[in-house]
Amino acid sequence: MKYNALKGIQDILPPDVYIWQSIESTARSIFFKYGFREIKLPIIESTDIFTRGIGEATDIVEKEMYTFPDKADRSITLRPEGTAPAVRCYVENGLHNLPSPQKFFYTGPMFRYERPQKGRFRQFYQIGVEAFGVAQPTLDVELILMLRDFLEGIGLRELNFEVNSIGDEKCRPDYKAALMNFFGQNLDEFCPDCRRRYTTNPLRILDCKVERCIELRQGAPAVTDYLCGECREHFEGLIAGLRALGVRYTLNPNLVRGLDYYTRTTFEVTSEHLGAQKAVAAGGRYDKLIKEFGGPPTPAIGFAIGMERIVALLKEIAPAVEPEPKVFIATLGKEAEIEGFKIAGQVRAAGFWAEPNYGGASLKSQLRKADRLGAEFAFIIGENELKAGKIQWKGLKTGEQGEVEIRNITSLLTDNVKPSNP
Ligand code: ATP
Ligand code: MG
C-alpha cells in the first residue's frame, strides 16, 4: 500500500524548512519591537465563526471551507484564516478589558478547498497580525510600516504596497449602487460567479481574476470617490502618514479583499515575480467585527502574510542551504564508541552540531560519511587515543590535521569555527 498526501497539501522538508524558520524568527523579533505579542489559536473552530465572521457571500464561505460534523454532530471547520478566530479569542477572553491597543500575532496552517496551483495550496501557512482598540489611521500606518520592515528584514525588496479604502456602512451603500449601475449595463457578459456576486456582493466583482471580467470593469466607479467625510479623513490620514514615513505605496481603487468584514483601509503587498498568485500579504481594518462577535464596539486592523509565497520569492534570490555538522566523531571499537558519545556531548555543550558514528563501520567508510555530510572536522578516536586521553582531528575542508587532548576540544572548536545554528 502506498500513501500520498492529500491533493494540494505538501510536506515541508529540509533544507526549505530552514528558510521557514528564519522567516518566523525574523517576524518574531521585528513584531516584538512593535509591541506585538504571540498568541496560539486553535486550528478548528465552530463553523459559524467563519460564516458569520467572513460572510456568507464570499468565496471562502461559499466554496472553500473544510467543514465536517464532529462525533457529537457539531459543525466544525478547519480555519481558512485567522482573523475571525482571533476576534473570537479577544472577546471570549475579555481582552478588551486590558489597556488598548492590544496587539497580537500568530503563525500556523490555514485550510481552503481551492484549486491547487502555483502559490495556491489547500493547506497553507500564514503569519497573521491583529491590533485591537485604535481607530486612528496612525495604527494603520504603523502596521504597514511593520510589514515593510519585516519583508525587508527577510531580504525582500521590490514589492508593491497597494492601498485603498472601502468606506464603511455609511458610504458603502452609495458606492454599491453606483457599481451595480455600472455593471448592470452588460451584466450578461460577466462570468457566472460575477453575475451571482452582482446581487450578493457587487464589490467582489472588482476582485474577480477572470480576464474578461477585468476588461469589463475598466472605467468602473472608484470607491475613493464615494467615501463619506469621516472615511475620507481617515484615508487621508493614512496617506499622509505613509508619505511622512517614506513608505512607497500605490493607490489601487479596485482593492476590495475577499472577506466581508473589512471597513476603510485595505492593503495588499504584491510581487511581479510570482505569476498569477502575486499577493504575498494582505490586510485591512475590520472596525465592526468585534461588536458582531458580541464584544464592545472596538476598531481593529490586521494583515496576513502568505508563507509559501514569500518562501518561493526567497528561494529565487538564493537556494535554501542545508546546515552541515561541525564535527563527525569517528570511533574504532566499543570503548571508543562510548567515549565518542561523551565527546559529542562536549562538542554540543560548546554550541556545535556533533554527529556520532552509530557503530560498526570501518574508519574509511566513516570518513566518507563525514565528507558526504559536509562536516567541517572529523574527530578520530581509537584505542591508542583513549589511553593517551587525546583524539586525532582532521579538517575535512582544509586537509589540516593534528592531535588534541580531550579536555582541550572545546577551545580547538571555539578558536576555529562559528557555532552551528540552523
Ligand atoms: P488570493 O487573492 O491570492 O486568493 P486571498 O485574498 O484569498 O488571496 P487572504 O485571505 O487575504 O488571501 O490571505 C492572505 C495571504 O495568504 C494571501 O495574500 C496569500 O499570500 C496567502 N494565501 C491565501 N490563500 C492561499 C492559498 N490557497 N495558498 C497559499 N497561500 C494563500
Ligand atoms: Mg483567495
Side-chain angles (χ1 to χ4, degrees):
M1 189 68 194
K2 185 170 165 280
Y3 295 106
N4 294 319
L6 296 173
K7 199 175 157 199
I9 295 184
Q10 53 173 0
D11 301 308
I12 296 144
L13 304 174
D16 283 10
V17 87
Y18 296 106
I19 300 188
W20 286 66
Q21 287 179 0
S22 97
I23 293 170
E24 284 169 6
S25 81
T26 304
R28 287 197 174 90
S29 84
I30 289 181
F31 297 172
F32 174 79
K33 289 180 244 178
Y34 280 82
F36 283 73
R37 297 181 297 156
E38 184 162 1
I39 49 173
K40 301 223 180 262
L41 295 168
I43 285 171
I44 57 175
E45 295 272 2
S46 170
T47 299
D48 43 356
I49 282 177
F50 303 108
T51 46
R52 184 90 182 271
I54 300 172
E56 302 270 5
T58 56
D59 283 354
I60 293 180
V61 173
E62 272 177 353
K63 47 188 186 198
E64 296 174 358
M65 293 210 300
Y66 277 90
T67 296
F68 54 88
D70 73 1
K71 289 188 194 299
D73 224 23
R74 297 180 201 94
S75 181
I76 303 290
T77 293
L78 294 180
R79 62 180 186 192
E81 56 98 54
T83 300
V87 171
R88 196 262 315 129
C89 160
Y90 179 81
V91 174
E92 182 176 344
N93 292 288
L95 302 180
H96 44 83
N97 297 316
L98 302 173
S100 66
Q102 287 291 316
K103 305 186 280 190
F104 301 107
F105 74 95
Y106 47 86
T107 65
M110 305 293 161
F111 304 84
R112 296 186 196 175
Y113 198 82
E114 304 204 66
R115 190 169 69 79
Q117 52 194 296
K118 185 170 176 253
R120 201 174 284 292
F121 305 94
R122 290 185 172 171
Q123 173 170 335
F124 62 99
Y125 289 73
Q126 287 185 337
I127 303 179
V129 162
E130 318 288 345
F132 299 90
V134 172
Q136 283 76 7
T138 40
L139 180 63
D140 312 31
V141 173
E142 196 181 43
L143 242 71
I144 294 174
L145 195 65
M146 181 170 90
L147 178 56
R148 190 199 61 177
D149 274 7
F150 161 75
L151 292 166
E152 285 185 355
I154 57 173
L156 292 181
R157 277 148 222 270
E158 290 177 47
L159 296 168
N160 312 315
F161 282 71
E162 299 180 14
V163 298
N164 191 26
S165 171
I166 56 166
D168 62 8
E169 78 284 4
K170 283 203 284 297
C171 46
R172 210 174 309 157
D174 282 352
Y175 179 58
K176 264 190 189 169
L179 271 187
M180 289 177 85
N181 203 5
F182 180 85
F183 294 138
Q185 292 163 12
N186 41 12
L187 188 61
D188 41 350
E189 290 180 53
F190 281 86
C191 73
D193 274 344
C194 280
R195 291 209 294 274
R196 202 165 28 79
R197 287 171 186 142
Y198 182 77
T199 38
T200 56
N201 196 349
L203 260 76
R204 296 290 329 284
I205 298 178
L206 298 172
D207 199 27
C208 181
K209 283 154 189 126
V210 175
E211 205 62 49
R212 181 71 184 132
C213 299
I214 296 174
E215 279 168 32
L216 287 167
R217 64 176 186 242
Q218 295 295 318
V223 60
T224 35
D225 290 335
Y226 286 78
L227 297 179
C228 63
E230 282 168 70
C231 286
R232 168 153 305 284
E233 199 184 311
H234 187 274
F235 191 47
E236 282 165 0
L238 167 72
I239 300 300
L242 293 177
R243 285 212 171 134
L245 291 163
V247 181
R248 289 174 55 176
Y249 64 89
T250 47
L251 297 178
N252 176 0
N254 283 344
L255 187 66
V256 291
R257 323 274 324 102
L259 303 85
D260 268 2
Y261 51 62
Y262 286 109
T263 47
R264 295 192 170 165
T265 307
T266 58
F267 57 96
E268 198 162 276
V269 182
T270 58
S271 163
E272 294 313 320
H273 299 276
L274 283 173
Q277 273 60 252
K278 62 192 176 95
V280 297
R285 271 201 173 266
Y286 46 94
D287 290 344
K288 307 293 162 202
L289 195 60
I290 290 93
K291 181 154 180 272
E292 178 81 21
F293 271 45
T298 309
I301 178 168
F303 65 75
I305 301 161
M307 282 291 280
E308 287 77 2
R309 295 185 195 175
I310 54 177
V311 169
L313 287 174
L314 288 175
K315 279 169 75 174
E316 236 173 61
I317 300 171
V321 179
E322 184 81 80
E324 291 163 342
K326 280 293 179 274
V327 180
F328 185 88
I329 305 201
T331 53
L332 289 168
K334 279 268 171 272
E335 258 175 81
E337 214 172 286
I338 300 299
E339 187 61 24
F341 276 100
K342 288 191 197 155
I343 291 172
Q346 229 175 304
V347 173
R348 291 170 186 146
F352 302 100
W353 172 3
E355 195 58 30
N357 165 43
Y358 291 103
S362 70
L363 181 60
K364 197 169 156 209
S365 84
Q366 290 185 54
L367 290 179
R368 213 182 306 124
K369 186 171 170 196
D371 260 330
R372 214 177 47 235
L373 287 170
E376 211 162 308
F377 283 92
F379 286 180
I380 301 156
I381 310 161
E383 266 171 46
N384 292 343
E385 286 78 13
L386 271 185
K387 278 193 208 117
K390 289 179 179 167
I391 59 148
Q392 305 288 322
W393 61 266
K394 225 174 153 162
L396 295 171
K397 292 177 181 169
T398 61
E400 288 173 318
Q401 48 189 342
E403 211 177 59
V404 65
E405 289 189 20
I406 290 175
R407 61 192 164 89
N408 290 334
I409 281 174
T410 308
S411 44
L412 168 76
L413 292 170
T414 45
D415 292 350
N416 288 292
V417 290
K418 288 204 283 321
S420 2
N421 286 319

